[in-house]
Amino acid sequence: MPVKVSVIVPVYNPGVYIEDCIASLQRQSLPPDEYEAVFVDDGSTDGTPARLDRLAAEDPRMRVIHQENSGWSGKPRNVGIAAARGEFVMFVDNDDYLGDEALQRMYEYGVANGADVVVGKMAGKNRGVPVELFRRSHPRATVANAPLIDSLTPHKMFRKEFLDRIGLRFPEGRRRLEDHVFVTEAFLRADNVSVLSDYVCYYHIRRDDASNAGFQRFDPVGYFKNLREALDVVERYTEPGAVRDRLFRRWLRVEMVERLRARRLLGLPDDYRRELFAEIHKVVVERFGPGVAAGLQPTQQVVAAFAEADRYDDVVAFAEWEAGVAPAADPTRVEWRDGTLHIEFTAEYASAGEPMTFPADAARTPLADTPKDVEEAVAWVGAETAARFDQATADLLLRERSSSAQYFQPVEFTREAVPADGGERVRLVLRATATVDPAGLPGDGVWDAVVRVKLGGWTKECRLGPAPRATRPKPYAGVADGRAVLPYWTEPHGNLSLDTKVKGKRLGLDGVRRQDVTASGTRLSIRLPLHASGGARVGLRFSAPGRTLHASGTLTGAPDGSGASLEATLPARLPRGVW
């Protein structure tokens, strides 16, 4: 069979962190003769070269290429492309790993949609990954109709003929952002890009020792020199106008403005952040027209304006104010209805722990000039946030605790301006109801409820809670999609989580009272504190010392959703004793 996918793994001194990567490659659902893994060892000095040689000797799917150290990932990836025999190539870092069905799903999706590039859903373990891009699948995505530009890491599947035809390879040598240059050109020149969002294909890992190459502090001069090369790619393949401004905005927002905000800036030594600020100022003045910053959110516009005006002290002061701003989400009801879990909550922003208030009669006012001071900047942000309240949104994501895989849940919400300070100001509150269908959660695990609030200048996340013990809605377990699901409050914080692998007493069945149980002949009826939709067949096990008997029954939900009835047929001859 021809090789469908070649997985290219640049390797340098990963130690034990490569084991998860290897294991995930060996578990792939794609038939063994339809994929290969090409490990390119970039002069490792630990035990990795010998480990890879043993692996290749044992597993014909695994190939190893050894080379002298090149200093970065670009050359090993290029060597891997040259050696690849697959129709597609997939880039994986040596300390990350794939979902078990990643290669098969991404390959089939790419072939079905004629894609030159396939972007698989990512999960970040202790590191950020794109969120909005994976809200849904995009079979035909472009930089104009989808937030592709948010995903510039190389961990994607590329059609090899496409790379060879346009001569696309990674910049080599010890440098930064070689992946930005490569992926940006691929996005802009591909006939089609497909985004697969219904399965987590790639797990992006931050090592426990935080020694991933991308987490090391960088030299600002060299970093922004390399960043300019990515901007050059955009200029080469786009015309001046809205699309180019939108693409440039990604680098202004992510690589510059966000580095100058709140705790991310304040946590750096003063001499380093001054050097960082100076290089950002140069790029902003040199490369970005007014249309780039104009599309940012209000807080980002303020930081960009201060950076352009070379006002370092104001950037720091604004960061100190913004460091106290955070979302808060309060649960108000958790209940089952018709086999789905309904979670009601309110969300708003707080500053220094107190609900934020905004002008009651605010109107949109473009930031025409740089604010004269931080006080004026804060006032403008408050007015813009209130004026943009009709654009505010609230989302609920369920994030699996061990893998960090996350999925958006359907949410309906309303916006309410709550009067404050005698009516001159208002609190901006979102009242939302999320509907969770257990059938939409892949696999068993513990899922934390995370609220994502977009309001004015902020898009931030927080856990749903904390709910004070005295006022917590009391959730109870449900039986849906053939499994039990338990909503519960974490201790000691009181945040909402869902357990989809729950068994035994945590279901609350130990709370069944004697009056909830009736027996007549071989018929047993039990009123259970569970939610069930329809009728579900269940098994029962009766145990006594040295003996076990089995029975079957039907679990039927009460019409008002308040519980369920279990009707079972007991063994005809149940021996005497306690069972």
Side-chain angles (χ1 to χ4, degrees):
M1 294 290 292
V3 175
K4 292 179 176 177
V5 183
S6 295
V7 181
I8 298 170
V9 187
V11 179
Y12 181 71
N13 287 355
V16 298
Y17 292 98
I18 199 171
E19 296 303 329
D20 285 341
C21 178
I22 292 172
S24 77
L25 292 172
Q26 292 180 317
R27 289 195 305 266
Q28 288 302 299
S29 60
L30 201 64
D33 57 352
E34 295 183 3
Y35 75 98
E36 64 177 357
V38 182
F39 294 86
V40 183
D41 173 39
D42 196 42
S44 292
T45 58
D46 61 2
T48 301
R51 170 70 176 99
L52 294 178
D53 287 340
R54 292 194 303 271
L55 175 68
E58 298 166 357
D59 190 334
R61 297 169 295 180
M62 308 292 151
R63 300 166 56 198
V64 183
I65 299 172
H66 298 285
Q67 65 179 31
E68 292 185 1
N69 182 254
S70 67
W72 210 249
S73 300
K75 185 174 181 179
R77 292 189 184 119
N78 290 340
V79 169
I81 295 172
R85 298 177 295 197
E87 180 184 352
F88 285 82
V89 295
M90 172 84 191
F91 298 105
V92 176
D93 285 348
N94 61 196
D95 35 27
D96 297 334
Y97 60 89
L98 297 175
D100 293 354
E101 301 173 21
L103 297 184
Q104 181 174 1
R105 286 177 179 250
M106 292 177 73
Y107 175 83
E108 292 176 352
Y109 194 66
V111 169
N113 293 292
D116 289 327
V117 184
V118 184
V119 185
K121 184 181 178 76
M122 302 178 72
K125 300 189 73 173
N126 299 316
R127 68 186 302 167
V129 295
V131 176
E132 292 298 330
L133 177 60
F134 301 119
R135 183 181 286 270
R136 63 177 181 85
S137 291
H138 303 264
R140 301 196 65 83
T142 69
V143 294
N145 67 18
L148 281 178
I149 203 66
D150 288 350
S151 179
L152 293 182
T153 64
H155 313 119
K156 300 165 178 61
M157 194 174 282
F158 300 83
R159 190 181 297 272
K160 188 170 186 294
E161 182 275 333
F162 162 68
L163 299 181
D164 291 340
R165 172 165 45 85
I166 69 172
L168 182 57
R169 295 296 187 268
F170 288 90
E172 297 185 2
R174 186 165 183 80
R175 48 161 297 129
R176 292 280 185 159
L177 303 181
E178 80 290 341
D179 46 357
H180 286 205
V181 174
F182 181 93
V183 175
T184 299
E185 183 168 346
F187 283 161
L188 292 175
R189 300 186 69 183
D191 288 337
N192 184 40
V193 179
S194 295
V195 180
L196 177 65
S197 299
D198 59 1
Y199 178 81
V200 178
C201 299
Y202 197 92
Y203 291 86
H204 206 19
I205 310 303
R206 180 173 186 172
R207 295 184 190 179
D208 293 336
D209 61 4
S211 62
N212 310 67
F215 282 100
Q216 306 311 303
R217 185 173 294 174
F218 57 79
D219 164 39
V221 174
Y223 188 89
F224 289 102
K225 176 184 177 182
N226 295 152
L227 184 146
R228 287 176 174 88
E229 295 175 33
L231 302 181
D232 291 341
V233 171
V234 174
E235 290 186 342
R236 188 177 307 128
Y237 295 108
T238 65
E239 297 296 328
V243 172
R244 179 183 290 181
D245 285 349
R246 186 184 310 124
L247 297 179
F248 275 177
R249 194 172 299 132
R250 184 264 175 218
W251 282 277
L252 175 60
R253 172 173 53 86
V254 177
E255 306 296 339
M256 303 179 204
V257 167
E258 290 301 316
R259 296 183 186 279
L260 300 178
R261 291 182 70 182
R263 292 182 175 88
R264 188 171 180 183
L265 175 69
L266 300 177
L268 298 173
D270 183 66
D271 58 345
Y272 180 78
R273 66 192 189 195
R274 285 181 182 275
E275 184 181 6
L276 180 69
F277 176 83
E279 293 304 315
I280 290 173
H281 165 69
K282 291 177 185 177
V283 179
V284 171
V285 172
E286 170 192 320
R287 301 299 292 264
F288 298 143
V292 179
L296 294 173
Q297 294 297 320
T299 49
Q300 297 166 341
Q301 286 190 50
V302 166
V303 176
F306 284 150
E308 183 179 18
D310 200 16
R311 288 167 51 178
Y312 170 78
D313 291 339
D314 286 330
V315 165
V316 173
F318 191 76
E320 290 171 344
W321 169 74
E322 212 181 351
V325 175
D330 298 321
T332 56
R333 179 177 293 181
V334 181
E335 65 180 11
W336 290 91
R337 294 198 298 269
D338 300 325
T340 57
L341 185 66
H342 296 256
I343 302 171
E344 297 180 10
F345 62 92
T346 63
E348 63 182 311
Y349 271 88
S351 179
E354 295 295 326
M356 294 182 70
T357 63
F358 303 87
D361 57 352
R364 294 288 300 272
T365 305
L367 188 65
D369 299 309
T370 305
K372 68 177 186 296
D373 54 30
V374 171
E375 183 176 339
E376 182 179 279
V378 170
W380 180 79
V381 166
E384 276 293 290
T385 300
R388 295 177 182 222
F389 189 40
D390 61 336
Q391 301 173 19
T393 61
D395 282 298
L396 184 83
L397 295 94
L398 291 182
R399 182 174 296 155
E400 206 283 314
R401 192 174 294 171
S402 63
S403 69
S404 298
Q406 59 186 12
Y407 294 86
F408 283 95
Q409 304 303 302
V411 172
E412 295 181 354
F413 62 86
T414 58
R415 305 177 182 93
E416 181 179 350
V418 179
D421 298 336
E424 294 184 1
R425 298 180 68 81
V426 292
R427 292 168 52 191
L428 303 179
V429 180
L430 293 157
R431 302 189 184 277
T433 300
T435 303
V436 178
D437 182 355
L441 298 177
D444 290 335
V446 176
W447 300 81
D448 294 325
V450 177
V451 175
R452 183 176 174 87
V453 185
K454 182 178 180 180
L455 173 64
W458 301 281
T459 300
K460 295 178 181 252
E461 297 177 353
C462 65
R463 289 291 306 276
L464 182 53
R469 187 179 299 275
T471 59
R472 291 178 191 172
K474 185 177 181 180
Y476 50 95
V479 177
D481 189 36
R483 59 182 172 176
V485 179
L486 175 66
Y488 71 96
W489 303 104
T490 63
E491 295 293 350
H493 302 296
N495 297 318
L496 184 67
S497 296
L498 273 65
D499 192 341
T500 59
K501 61 178 181 180
V502 63
K503 294 179 176 64
K505 291 184 177 180
R506 289 197 68 207
L507 282 171
L509 303 188
D510 54 338
V512 174
R513 302 166 299 174
R514 181 180 293 273
Q515 58 264 39
D516 294 328
V517 182
T518 58
S520 177
T522 60
R523 300 298 298 172
L524 177 68
S525 178
I526 309 175
R527 174 78 172 180
L528 299 175
L530 286 173
H531 174 84
S533 58
R537 296 291 295 173
V538 296
L540 290 86
R541 184 176 67 241
F542 295 88
S543 299
R547 292 176 291 180
T548 301
L549 293 174
H550 295 275
S552 62
T554 302
L555 188 65
T556 305
D560 62 0
S562 61
S565 296
L566 174 63
E567 302 289 337
T569 302
L570 299 173
R573 295 180 178 273
L574 190 65
R576 295 174 63 86
V578 177
W579 292 81

